[in-house]
Amino acid sequence: VLEPVANNIRKHKLFTDGEDILIAVSGGIDSVVLLHLLHHFAVSCGWQLTIAHFNHKLRGRESDADERFVRTLAKKLNVPIIVDSVNVKAHAKRTGQSIEMAARELRHAFFVKAARARKIKTVALAHHADDQVELFFLRLLRGTSIDGLAGMKWRASSPNDKTIHLARPLLNISREQIETFAHHNKLRWREDTSNQSIDFLRNRIRGELIPLLAKSYQPAVRANIVRTMEILAGEADLLQQLAKKSGAFDKLPVALQRRKLQQELFALNLPADFAAIDNLRLHLGRVIELNPSSRVWRDKAGRVHIANVPQTRFSTTTRRIKLQSKETKTTFANCQLTFRIVEKAGAEFVRKPNTEYFDADKVGRIVTLRHWQPGDRFHPIGAQAARKLQDIFVDLKIPQEQRHTRIIATSANGDVFWVEGVRIAENCKLTASTKRRLTLQWKRD
């Protein structure tokens, strides 16, 4: 491993002689091996190393034991260490993110904070070839562009600060090579038991999908995917260069049109997902909404311009109603609504237009009808946690002007249990234990 890693550092210009380097060390085998490798090269290269350890507080005592292990390792190698901890699970619940996404966001924020504190410009990460393969399938299943399938870069700017770079010296080193190096050098490390949990898609890809492909379809699947990613990375770079030199927008191939629009959006620090790019590509001059505060349009040359976002006032109109034993009718915001309570157990129902079904006892007798307000949170049926209603509107691409006219119904305890044209709430759905059901029908004038 020593020689290939040294070649990687030289070939991809990951570090310069005499540089200060921040090394992300979780305590797992990958980061422990990376630390020992860079520590081995440090004297001859004149590097000043600092360890960064982020305690995610996801595994209780195990997480704290990881932190103690890394602190001990830092002391043994005489390398300074910076440690921080955040309750990732609480942050994920508060923001409506997945635990994986919240952990990544907080971890990178910590790396930038630690690097700035020590005036360090490069953070070394222990991602390796097997991580690349897992990422390929992860992004393929979720949908991505050629850049996404190309995977992680050897050296790239931090998503939190473009002046700080992330370097990955092990990107072509396999997990097997890492384990061989660790055993040969009698290194100690910590095992993360959450890596075995099938609750995370990446773990299922690692433990189920890739082994299945290797056993039943292609024994060399890992090597083939890594090679494919290298090819895609080269082609992505070519597209990037061609798009910068492109001619008349309407004469360009579709791939270059998309790449040029992506560059334009990135230059404006705006999100550039596939739907937004293709909307801009197909509709000259049409205003496209990217998020509640960003609207853009493109001109004939393919340049993207920011459009003014009209300010829409939040309506404070409300109507509080007390549900009767059988049927309650009301009109609100040019919409006729009928609530019916039925003594019917179970979760089975027949889907009908403009009709929703709830557990009547969970909703309660008092219902308030109103419109979207800043800070509203909603837990849609089937979702893992509550999210900001604004983010749900954006994901569903509901036009901004409509968001302020949709009707929202809150239960007796004030929770949103229905959003017109969206979904019902998870905590008010029909279940096997439901005794009485509430049927809501609505009709717009």
Side-chain angles (χ1 to χ4, degrees), residues 202-232:
R202 180 184 283 274
N203 291 352
R204 296 199 296 276
I205 290 172
R206 178 190 303 130
E208 298 173 356
L209 178 60
I210 296 175
L212 173 66
L213 293 174
K215 179 181 178 181
S216 304
Y217 297 90
Q218 173 53 268
V221 61
R222 291 179 177 85
N224 289 350
I225 292 297
V226 169
R227 184 166 59 250
T228 299
M229 295 176 82
E230 290 178 1
I231 294 171
L232 290 174

PDB file of all heavy atoms in Angstrom, residues 202-232:
ATOM      1  N   ARG A 202     -26.868   2.246   2.030  1.00  0.00           N
ATOM      2  CA  ARG A 202     -25.465   1.960   1.694  1.00  0.00           C
ATOM      3  C   ARG A 202     -25.035   0.599   2.269  1.00  0.00           C
ATOM      4  O   ARG A 202     -24.320  -0.162   1.610  1.00  0.00           O
ATOM      5  CB  ARG A 202     -24.549   3.065   2.225  1.00  0.00           C
ATOM      6  CG  ARG A 202     -23.075   2.817   1.897  1.00  0.00           C
ATOM      7  CD  ARG A 202     -22.189   3.869   2.530  1.00  0.00           C
ATOM      8  NE  ARG A 202     -22.214   5.127   1.819  1.00  0.00           N
ATOM      9  CZ  ARG A 202     -21.432   5.409   0.780  1.00  0.00           C
ATOM     10  NH1 ARG A 202     -20.586   4.510   0.325  1.00  0.00           N
ATOM     11  NH2 ARG A 202     -21.498   6.588   0.203  1.00  0.00           N
ATOM     12  N   ASN A 203     -25.476   0.293   3.488  1.00  0.00           N
ATOM     13  CA  ASN A 203     -25.110  -0.978   4.094  1.00  0.00           C
ATOM     14  C   ASN A 203     -25.715  -2.161   3.336  1.00  0.00           C
ATOM     15  O   ASN A 203     -25.099  -3.224   3.219  1.00  0.00           O
ATOM     16  CB  ASN A 203     -25.562  -1.018   5.559  1.00  0.00           C
ATOM     17  CG  ASN A 203     -24.763  -0.062   6.424  1.00  0.00           C
ATOM     18  OD1 ASN A 203     -23.779   0.524   5.973  1.00  0.00           O
ATOM     19  ND2 ASN A 203     -25.176   0.123   7.660  1.00  0.00           N
ATOM     20  N   ARG A 204     -26.946  -1.977   2.831  1.00  0.00           N
ATOM     21  CA  ARG A 204     -27.572  -3.054   2.059  1.00  0.00           C
ATOM     22  C   ARG A 204     -26.856  -3.244   0.719  1.00  0.00           C
ATOM     23  O   ARG A 204     -26.726  -4.372   0.236  1.00  0.00           O
ATOM     24  CB  ARG A 204     -29.055  -2.752   1.822  1.00  0.00           C
ATOM     25  CG  ARG A 204     -29.861  -2.711   3.113  1.00  0.00           C
ATOM     26  CD  ARG A 204     -31.352  -2.868   2.846  1.00  0.00           C
ATOM     27  NE  ARG A 204     -31.916  -1.778   2.071  1.00  0.00           N
ATOM     28  CZ  ARG A 204     -32.331  -0.623   2.581  1.00  0.00           C
ATOM     29  NH1 ARG A 204     -32.215  -0.394   3.879  1.00  0.00           N
ATOM     30  NH2 ARG A 204     -32.862   0.310   1.811  1.00  0.00           N
ATOM     31  N   ILE A 205     -26.391  -2.146   0.148  1.00  0.00           N
ATOM     32  CA  ILE A 205     -25.614  -2.244  -1.096  1.00  0.00           C
ATOM     33  C   ILE A 205     -24.312  -2.993  -0.834  1.00  0.00           C
ATOM     34  O   ILE A 205     -23.920  -3.884  -1.598  1.00  0.00           O
ATOM     35  CB  ILE A 205     -25.336  -0.842  -1.673  1.00  0.00           C
ATOM     36  CG1 ILE A 205     -26.637  -0.232  -2.197  1.00  0.00           C
ATOM     37  CG2 ILE A 205     -24.295  -0.907  -2.787  1.00  0.00           C
ATOM     38  CD1 ILE A 205     -26.515   1.223  -2.606  1.00  0.00           C
ATOM     39  N   ARG A 206     -23.648  -2.642   0.284  1.00  0.00           N
ATOM     40  CA  ARG A 206     -22.369  -3.258   0.632  1.00  0.00           C
ATOM     41  C   ARG A 206     -22.529  -4.736   0.994  1.00  0.00           C
ATOM     42  O   ARG A 206     -21.753  -5.583   0.542  1.00  0.00           O
ATOM     43  CB  ARG A 206     -21.734  -2.520   1.818  1.00  0.00           C
ATOM     44  CG  ARG A 206     -20.406  -3.130   2.291  1.00  0.00           C
ATOM     45  CD  ARG A 206     -19.974  -2.510   3.616  1.00  0.00           C
ATOM     46  NE  ARG A 206     -19.864  -1.067   3.495  1.00  0.00           N
ATOM     47  CZ  ARG A 206     -20.424  -0.210   4.343  1.00  0.00           C
ATOM     48  NH1 ARG A 206     -21.131  -0.662   5.371  1.00  0.00           N
ATOM     49  NH2 ARG A 206     -20.274   1.080   4.169  1.00  0.00           N
ATOM     50  N   GLY A 207     -23.544  -5.033   1.799  1.00  0.00           N
ATOM     51  CA  GLY A 207     -23.664  -6.385   2.333  1.00  0.00           C
ATOM     52  C   GLY A 207     -24.521  -7.337   1.528  1.00  0.00           C
ATOM     53  O   GLY A 207     -24.409  -8.559   1.694  1.00  0.00           O
ATOM     54  N   GLU A 208     -25.385  -6.783   0.644  1.00  0.00           N
ATOM     55  CA  GLU A 208     -26.301  -7.646  -0.101  1.00  0.00           C
ATOM     56  C   GLU A 208     -26.138  -7.542  -1.621  1.00  0.00           C
ATOM     57  O   GLU A 208     -25.902  -8.545  -2.299  1.00  0.00           O
ATOM     58  CB  GLU A 208     -27.754  -7.308   0.276  1.00  0.00           C
ATOM     59  CG  GLU A 208     -28.072  -7.533   1.749  1.00  0.00           C
ATOM     60  CD  GLU A 208     -29.457  -7.036   2.144  1.00  0.00           C
ATOM     61  OE1 GLU A 208     -30.158  -6.435   1.288  1.00  0.00           O
ATOM     62  OE2 GLU A 208     -29.831  -7.238   3.301  1.00  0.00           O
ATOM     63  N   LEU A 209     -26.259  -6.314  -2.142  1.00  0.00           N
ATOM     64  CA  LEU A 209     -26.272  -6.142  -3.596  1.00  0.00           C
ATOM     65  C   LEU A 209     -24.939  -6.508  -4.248  1.00  0.00           C
ATOM     66  O   LEU A 209     -24.894  -7.327  -5.180  1.00  0.00           O
ATOM     67  CB  LEU A 209     -26.655  -4.707  -3.950  1.00  0.00           C
ATOM     68  CG  LEU A 209     -26.654  -4.363  -5.446  1.00  0.00           C
ATOM     69  CD1 LEU A 209     -27.644  -5.256  -6.195  1.00  0.00           C
ATOM     70  CD2 LEU A 209     -26.984  -2.897  -5.672  1.00  0.00           C
ATOM     71  N   ILE A 210     -23.839  -5.910  -3.789  1.00  0.00           N
ATOM     72  CA  ILE A 210     -22.535  -6.154  -4.427  1.00  0.00           C
ATOM     73  C   ILE A 210     -22.107  -7.620  -4.295  1.00  0.00           C
ATOM     74  O   ILE A 210     -21.659  -8.215  -5.293  1.00  0.00           O
ATOM     75  CB  ILE A 210     -21.473  -5.193  -3.867  1.00  0.00           C
ATOM     76  CG1 ILE A 210     -21.850  -3.744  -4.216  1.00  0.00           C
ATOM     77  CG2 ILE A 210     -20.091  -5.534  -4.429  1.00  0.00           C
ATOM     78  CD1 ILE A 210     -20.932  -2.696  -3.618  1.00  0.00           C
ATOM     79  N   PRO A 211     -22.240  -8.250  -3.114  1.00  0.00           N
ATOM     80  CA  PRO A 211     -21.917  -9.684  -3.030  1.00  0.00           C
ATOM     81  C   PRO A 211     -22.757 -10.542  -3.971  1.00  0.00           C
ATOM     82  O   PRO A 211     -22.261 -11.512  -4.560  1.00  0.00           O
ATOM     83  CB  PRO A 211     -22.194 -10.028  -1.561  1.00  0.00           C
ATOM     84  CG  PRO A 211     -21.983  -8.748  -0.834  1.00  0.00           C
ATOM     85  CD  PRO A 211     -22.506  -7.689  -1.772  1.00  0.00           C
ATOM     86  N   LEU A 212     -24.047 -10.192  -4.133  1.00  0.00           N
ATOM     87  CA  LEU A 212     -24.909 -10.934  -5.053  1.00  0.00           C
ATOM     88  C   LEU A 212     -24.412 -10.802  -6.485  1.00  0.00           C
ATOM     89  O   LEU A 212     -24.336 -11.791  -7.234  1.00  0.00           O
ATOM     90  CB  LEU A 212     -26.346 -10.419  -4.948  1.00  0.00           C
ATOM     91  CG  LEU A 212     -27.341 -10.985  -5.976  1.00  0.00           C
ATOM     92  CD1 LEU A 212     -27.541 -12.473  -5.754  1.00  0.00           C
ATOM     93  CD2 LEU A 212     -28.674 -10.244  -5.901  1.00  0.00           C
ATOM     94  N   LEU A 213     -24.067  -9.573  -6.899  1.00  0.00           N
ATOM     95  CA  LEU A 213     -23.568  -9.356  -8.253  1.00  0.00           C
ATOM     96  C   LEU A 213     -22.250 -10.097  -8.479  1.00  0.00           C
ATOM     97  O   LEU A 213     -22.031 -10.681  -9.546  1.00  0.00           O
ATOM     98  CB  LEU A 213     -23.383  -7.862  -8.504  1.00  0.00           C
ATOM     99  CG  LEU A 213     -24.661  -7.007  -8.541  1.00  0.00           C
ATOM    100  CD1 LEU A 213     -24.308  -5.535  -8.638  1.00  0.00           C
ATOM    101  CD2 LEU A 213     -25.559  -7.419  -9.696  1.00  0.00           C
ATOM    102  N   ALA A 214     -21.378 -10.065  -7.460  1.00  0.00           N
ATOM    103  CA  ALA A 214     -20.077 -10.734  -7.584  1.00  0.00           C
ATOM    104  C   ALA A 214     -20.235 -12.252  -7.660  1.00  0.00           C
ATOM    105  O   ALA A 214     -19.516 -12.931  -8.403  1.00  0.00           O
ATOM    106  CB  ALA A 214     -19.190 -10.361  -6.400  1.00  0.00           C
ATOM    107  N   LYS A 215     -21.188 -12.787  -6.926  1.00  0.00           N
ATOM    108  CA  LYS A 215     -21.381 -14.241  -6.886  1.00  0.00           C
ATOM    109  C   LYS A 215     -22.136 -14.768  -8.099  1.00  0.00           C
ATOM    110  O   LYS A 215     -21.760 -15.806  -8.674  1.00  0.00           O
ATOM    111  CB  LYS A 215     -22.135 -14.620  -5.608  1.00  0.00           C
ATOM    112  CG  LYS A 215     -22.406 -16.109  -5.465  1.00  0.00           C
ATOM    113  CD  LYS A 215     -23.183 -16.411  -4.201  1.00  0.00           C
ATOM    114  CE  LYS A 215     -23.495 -17.903  -4.081  1.00  0.00           C
ATOM    115  NZ  LYS A 215     -24.276 -18.208  -2.847  1.00  0.00           N
ATOM    116  N   SER A 216     -23.190 -14.071  -8.509  1.00  0.00           N
ATOM    117  CA  SER A 216     -24.091 -14.615  -9.523  1.00  0.00           C
ATOM    118  C   SER A 216     -23.943 -14.012 -10.915  1.00  0.00           C
ATOM    119  O   SER A 216     -24.473 -14.565 -11.882  1.00  0.00           O
ATOM    120  CB  SER A 216     -25.548 -14.435  -9.068  1.00  0.00           C
ATOM    121  OG  SER A 216     -25.768 -15.034  -7.807  1.00  0.00           O
ATOM    122  N   TYR A 217     -23.270 -12.853 -11.024  1.00  0.00           N
ATOM    123  CA  TYR A 217     -23.230 -12.173 -12.313  1.00  0.00           C
ATOM    124  C   TYR A 217     -21.822 -11.865 -12.813  1.00  0.00           C
ATOM    125  O   TYR A 217     -21.504 -12.151 -13.965  1.00  0.00           O
ATOM    126  CB  TYR A 217     -24.053 -10.879 -12.252  1.00  0.00           C
ATOM    127  CG  TYR A 217     -25.522 -11.125 -11.991  1.00  0.00           C
ATOM    128  CD1 TYR A 217     -26.026 -11.170 -10.698  1.00  0.00           C
ATOM    129  CD2 TYR A 217     -26.396 -11.334 -13.049  1.00  0.00           C
ATOM    130  CE1 TYR A 217     -27.374 -11.413 -10.457  1.00  0.00           C
ATOM    131  CE2 TYR A 217     -27.746 -11.573 -12.835  1.00  0.00           C
ATOM    132  CZ  TYR A 217     -28.224 -11.624 -11.529  1.00  0.00           C
ATOM    133  OH  TYR A 217     -29.554 -11.877 -11.295  1.00  0.00           O
ATOM    134  N   GLN A 218     -20.989 -11.247 -11.994  1.00  0.00           N
ATOM    135  CA  GLN A 218     -19.676 -10.826 -12.456  1.00  0.00           C
ATOM    136  C   GLN A 218     -18.715 -10.771 -11.269  1.00  0.00           C
ATOM    137  O   GLN A 218     -18.777  -9.840 -10.461  1.00  0.00           O
ATOM    138  CB  GLN A 218     -19.771  -9.464 -13.135  1.00  0.00           C
ATOM    139  CG  GLN A 218     -18.446  -8.811 -13.518  1.00  0.00           C
ATOM    140  CD  GLN A 218     -17.552  -9.702 -14.355  1.00  0.00           C
ATOM    141  OE1 GLN A 218     -16.716 -10.436 -13.820  1.00  0.00           O
ATOM    142  NE2 GLN A 218     -17.737  -9.659 -15.681  1.00  0.00           N
ATOM    143  N   PRO A 219     -17.813 -11.763 -11.143  1.00  0.00           N
ATOM    144  CA  PRO A 219     -16.872 -11.772 -10.012  1.00  0.00           C
ATOM    145  C   PRO A 219     -16.026 -10.502  -9.920  1.00  0.00           C
ATOM    146  O   PRO A 219     -15.633 -10.092  -8.824  1.00  0.00           O
ATOM    147  CB  PRO A 219     -15.995 -12.997 -10.294  1.00  0.00           C
ATOM    148  CG  PRO A 219     -16.841 -13.867 -11.174  1.00  0.00           C
ATOM    149  CD  PRO A 219     -17.650 -12.925 -12.015  1.00  0.00           C
ATOM    150  N   ALA A 220     -15.763  -9.875 -11.062  1.00  0.00           N
ATOM    151  CA  ALA A 220     -14.909  -8.679 -11.077  1.00  0.00           C
ATOM    152  C   ALA A 220     -15.730  -7.397 -11.054  1.00  0.00           C
ATOM    153  O   ALA A 220     -15.290  -6.361 -11.553  1.00  0.00           O
ATOM    154  CB  ALA A 220     -13.999  -8.704 -12.302  1.00  0.00           C
ATOM    155  N   VAL A 221     -16.928  -7.443 -10.467  1.00  0.00           N
ATOM    156  CA  VAL A 221     -17.823  -6.283 -10.513  1.00  0.00           C
ATOM    157  C   VAL A 221     -17.183  -5.041  -9.889  1.00  0.00           C
ATOM    158  O   VAL A 221     -17.329  -3.933 -10.415  1.00  0.00           O
ATOM    159  CB  VAL A 221     -19.170  -6.609  -9.819  1.00  0.00           C
ATOM    160  CG1 VAL A 221     -18.980  -6.968  -8.356  1.00  0.00           C
ATOM    161  CG2 VAL A 221     -20.141  -5.444  -9.972  1.00  0.00           C
ATOM    162  N   ARG A 222     -16.454  -5.202  -8.785  1.00  0.00           N
ATOM    163  CA  ARG A 222     -15.854  -4.029  -8.122  1.00  0.00           C
ATOM    164  C   ARG A 222     -14.828  -3.358  -9.029  1.00  0.00           C
ATOM    165  O   ARG A 222     -14.850  -2.138  -9.220  1.00  0.00           O
ATOM    166  CB  ARG A 222     -15.213  -4.445  -6.797  1.00  0.00           C
ATOM    167  CG  ARG A 222     -16.209  -4.862  -5.720  1.00  0.00           C
ATOM    168  CD  ARG A 222     -15.474  -5.285  -4.455  1.00  0.00           C
ATOM    169  NE  ARG A 222     -16.399  -5.619  -3.378  1.00  0.00           N
ATOM    170  CZ  ARG A 222     -16.962  -6.810  -3.216  1.00  0.00           C
ATOM    171  NH1 ARG A 222     -16.678  -7.796  -4.087  1.00  0.00           N
ATOM    172  NH2 ARG A 222     -17.793  -7.040  -2.220  1.00  0.00           N
ATOM    173  N   ALA A 223     -13.911  -4.158  -9.592  1.00  0.00           N
ATOM    174  CA  ALA A 223     -12.865  -3.592 -10.462  1.00  0.00           C
ATOM    175  C   ALA A 223     -13.484  -2.967 -11.709  1.00  0.00           C
ATOM    176  O   ALA A 223     -13.048  -1.907 -12.174  1.00  0.00           O
ATOM    177  CB  ALA A 223     -11.867  -4.681 -10.854  1.00  0.00           C
ATOM    178  N   ASN A 224     -14.505  -3.612 -12.266  1.00  0.00           N
ATOM    179  CA  ASN A 224     -15.145  -3.089 -13.472  1.00  0.00           C
ATOM    180  C   ASN A 224     -15.854  -1.762 -13.204  1.00  0.00           C
ATOM    181  O   ASN A 224     -15.814  -0.844 -14.033  1.00  0.00           O
ATOM    182  CB  ASN A 224     -16.146  -4.104 -14.016  1.00  0.00           C
ATOM    183  CG  ASN A 224     -15.459  -5.320 -14.632  1.00  0.00           C
ATOM    184  OD1 ASN A 224     -14.242  -5.316 -14.825  1.00  0.00           O
ATOM    185  ND2 ASN A 224     -16.228  -6.352 -14.928  1.00  0.00           N
ATOM    186  N   ILE A 225     -16.509  -1.661 -12.054  1.00  0.00           N
ATOM    187  CA  ILE A 225     -17.202  -0.419 -11.717  1.00  0.00           C
ATOM    188  C   ILE A 225     -16.203   0.712 -11.506  1.00  0.00           C
ATOM    189  O   ILE A 225     -16.411   1.844 -11.962  1.00  0.00           O
ATOM    190  CB  ILE A 225     -18.077  -0.604 -10.458  1.00  0.00           C
ATOM    191  CG1 ILE A 225     -19.243  -1.542 -10.753  1.00  0.00           C
ATOM    192  CG2 ILE A 225     -18.601   0.742  -9.967  1.00  0.00           C
ATOM    193  CD1 ILE A 225     -20.212  -1.048 -11.793  1.00  0.00           C
ATOM    194  N   VAL A 226     -15.099   0.435 -10.808  1.00  0.00           N
ATOM    195  CA  VAL A 226     -14.073   1.464 -10.579  1.00  0.00           C
ATOM    196  C   VAL A 226     -13.525   1.957 -11.918  1.00  0.00           C
ATOM    197  O   VAL A 226     -13.344   3.167 -12.127  1.00  0.00           O
ATOM    198  CB  VAL A 226     -12.927   0.910  -9.698  1.00  0.00           C
ATOM    199  CG1 VAL A 226     -11.740   1.876  -9.690  1.00  0.00           C
ATOM    200  CG2 VAL A 226     -13.423   0.690  -8.274  1.00  0.00           C
ATOM    201  N   ARG A 227     -13.278   1.035 -12.835  1.00  0.00           N
ATOM    202  CA  ARG A 227     -12.776   1.426 -14.161  1.00  0.00           C
ATOM    203  C   ARG A 227     -13.814   2.255 -14.917  1.00  0.00           C
ATOM    204  O   ARG A 227     -13.484   3.261 -15.557  1.00  0.00           O
ATOM    205  CB  ARG A 227     -12.402   0.184 -14.961  1.00  0.00           C
ATOM    206  CG  ARG A 227     -11.776   0.489 -16.315  1.00  0.00           C
ATOM    207  CD  ARG A 227     -11.120  -0.733 -16.933  1.00  0.00           C
ATOM    208  NE  ARG A 227     -12.069  -1.820 -17.126  1.00  0.00           N
ATOM    209  CZ  ARG A 227     -12.065  -2.964 -16.430  1.00  0.00           C
ATOM    210  NH1 ARG A 227     -11.155  -3.147 -15.493  1.00  0.00           N
ATOM    211  NH2 ARG A 227     -12.959  -3.900 -16.676  1.00  0.00           N
ATOM    212  N   THR A 228     -15.074   1.848 -14.820  1.00  0.00           N
ATOM    213  CA  THR A 228     -16.151   2.606 -15.467  1.00  0.00           C
ATOM    214  C   THR A 228     -16.243   4.021 -14.906  1.00  0.00           C
ATOM    215  O   THR A 228     -16.442   4.990 -15.645  1.00  0.00           O
ATOM    216  CB  THR A 228     -17.496   1.882 -15.270  1.00  0.00           C
ATOM    217  OG1 THR A 228     -17.430   0.581 -15.875  1.00  0.00           O
ATOM    218  CG2 THR A 228     -18.642   2.673 -15.895  1.00  0.00           C
ATOM    219  N   MET A 229     -16.078   4.148 -13.596  1.00  0.00           N
ATOM    220  CA  MET A 229     -16.141   5.468 -12.964  1.00  0.00           C
ATOM    221  C   MET A 229     -14.997   6.357 -13.428  1.00  0.00           C
ATOM    222  O   MET A 229     -15.175   7.568 -13.609  1.00  0.00           O
ATOM    223  CB  MET A 229     -16.130   5.313 -11.439  1.00  0.00           C
ATOM    224  CG  MET A 229     -17.363   4.608 -10.897  1.00  0.00           C
ATOM    225  SD  MET A 229     -17.313   4.326  -9.114  1.00  0.00           S
ATOM    226  CE  MET A 229     -17.846   5.938  -8.513  1.00  0.00           C
ATOM    227  N   GLU A 230     -13.822   5.768 -13.636  1.00  0.00           N
ATOM    228  CA  GLU A 230     -12.687   6.543 -14.148  1.00  0.00           C
ATOM    229  C   GLU A 230     -12.984   7.060 -15.555  1.00  0.00           C
ATOM    230  O   GLU A 230     -12.680   8.206 -15.895  1.00  0.00           O
ATOM    231  CB  GLU A 230     -11.423   5.686 -14.154  1.00  0.00           C
ATOM    232  CG  GLU A 230     -10.883   5.369 -12.763  1.00  0.00           C
ATOM    233  CD  GLU A 230      -9.667   4.470 -12.821  1.00  0.00           C
ATOM    234  OE1 GLU A 230      -9.237   4.107 -13.936  1.00  0.00           O
ATOM    235  OE2 GLU A 230      -9.142   4.126 -11.746  1.00  0.00           O
ATOM    236  N   ILE A 231     -13.608   6.209 -16.379  1.00  0.00           N
ATOM    237  CA  ILE A 231     -13.983   6.623 -17.736  1.00  0.00           C
ATOM    238  C   ILE A 231     -15.006   7.756 -17.683  1.00  0.00           C
ATOM    239  O   ILE A 231     -14.894   8.767 -18.388  1.00  0.00           O
ATOM    240  CB  ILE A 231     -14.547   5.423 -18.520  1.00  0.00           C
ATOM    241  CG1 ILE A 231     -13.450   4.379 -18.744  1.00  0.00           C
ATOM    242  CG2 ILE A 231     -15.140   5.881 -19.860  1.00  0.00           C
ATOM    243  CD1 ILE A 231     -13.963   3.069 -19.305  1.00  0.00           C
ATOM    244  N   LEU A 232     -16.019   7.597 -16.825  1.00  0.00           N
ATOM    245  CA  LEU A 232     -17.057   8.622 -16.704  1.00  0.00           C
ATOM    246  C   LEU A 232     -16.476   9.944 -16.197  1.00  0.00           C
ATOM    247  O   LEU A 232     -16.897  11.014 -16.636  1.00  0.00           O
ATOM    248  CB  LEU A 232     -18.149   8.138 -15.752  1.00  0.00           C
ATOM    249  CG  LEU A 232     -19.027   6.983 -16.268  1.00  0.00           C
ATOM    250  CD1 LEU A 232     -19.966   6.500 -15.174  1.00  0.00           C
ATOM    251  CD2 LEU A 232     -19.817   7.414 -17.487  1.00  0.00           C
TER     252      LEU A 232
END
